[in-house]
Amino acid sequence: MNSNHHKQTYTITAFSENHIGLLNRITIIFTRRQVNIESLTVSASAIEGLHKFTIVVFETEEKVKKVVSQTEKMVEVMKAFYHTDDEIIQQEIALYKVPTEELLDSTNIEQIVRQYNARILEVTKEYTVIEKTGHKEETQRLFDELKPYGVKQFTRSGRIAITKQSQELLTNYLSEMDKREKEIMNNNY
């Protein structure tokens, strides 16, 4: 089977200055191509003044290449990249609110929290908040374990990811651009 037609999880990162309305315009590109966004986070990047959009999709490489290419065509976007899961280090964070009385009535929750390397963030008379960092599958498994104890609230962040390369790909791209600019300048004189 051709890998271009095989769907898998891709993490797309786009670098841009943080412009009002940019997020909306980026998501429109995905909507038009009928690509569903699994998660989306925006944060500062290692490069001052630039923000990093991290978008997770389950799609074919062919469609991913198209949305990345279209995203890059946006004036405010400097560069966009896409990666498979084995090319990145990624995490999500999840918060679970369970009734405190269930926690007190059962030693199981305490064992579950330890077993999943989760931690207790806050305890009140009514509820206890548990935090778990990990891959989506791990945070989901903990949710499934806690469900019998009455999870009152549950939320999971979007994926945050960094590449396995030694530095941000954009840094390499910007160095290349600088080199090319200097060559052009030297050739013109």
Side-chain angles (χ1 to χ4, degrees), residues 72-126:
E72 275 188 336
K73 284 179 185 156
M74 297 175 75
V75 177
E76 303 91 342
V77 175
M78 276 197 128
K79 195 86 180 112
F81 303 94
Y82 70 94
H83 298 282
T84 55
D85 283 357
D86 59 336
E87 297 172 313
I88 59 169
I89 298 156
Q90 51 101 358
Q91 292 284 282
E92 293 189 2
I93 186 170
L95 298 176
Y96 313 79
K97 186 189 277 184
V98 294
T100 299
E101 66 182 280
E102 287 294 333
L103 195 74
L104 299 173
D105 291 350
S106 163
T107 54
N108 289 2
I109 291 187
E110 219 172 297
Q111 287 171 338
I112 291 168
V113 167
R114 259 197 306 269
Q115 180 192 331
Y116 281 88
N117 284 325
R119 63 187 198 119
I120 292 174
L121 274 190
E122 190 172 316
V123 181
T124 71
K125 268 188 242 164
E126 294 84 39

Side-chain angles (χ1 to χ4, degrees), residues 47-61:
I47 299 152
E48 198 178 332
L50 288 185
H51 281 67
K52 182 178 186 176
F53 292 73
T54 305
I55 305 159
V56 180
V57 298
F58 183 73
E59 198 43 83
T60 63
E61 186 172 15

Side-chain angles (χ1 to χ4, degrees), residues 149-180:
Y149 301 97
V151 177
K152 297 290 176 215
Q153 285 183 38
F154 169 67
T155 190
R156 183 175 21 233
S157 73
R159 173 181 289 190
I160 55 169
I162 53 177
T163 65
K164 291 184 177 178
Q165 277 104 355
S166 59
Q167 62 181 353
E168 198 70 85
L169 281 172
L170 187 65
T171 307
N172 300 342
Y173 172 76
L174 293 173
S175 319
E176 283 299 310
M177 294 296 285
D178 275 352
K179 256 189 251 169
R180 271 192 230 136

Side-chain angles (χ1 to χ4, degrees), residues 15-19 43-52 78:
F15 292 88
S16 166
E17 290 175 5
N18 200 9
H19 288 277
S43 68
S45 76
I47 299 152
E48 198 178 332
L50 288 185
H51 281 67
K52 182 178 186 176
M78 276 197 128

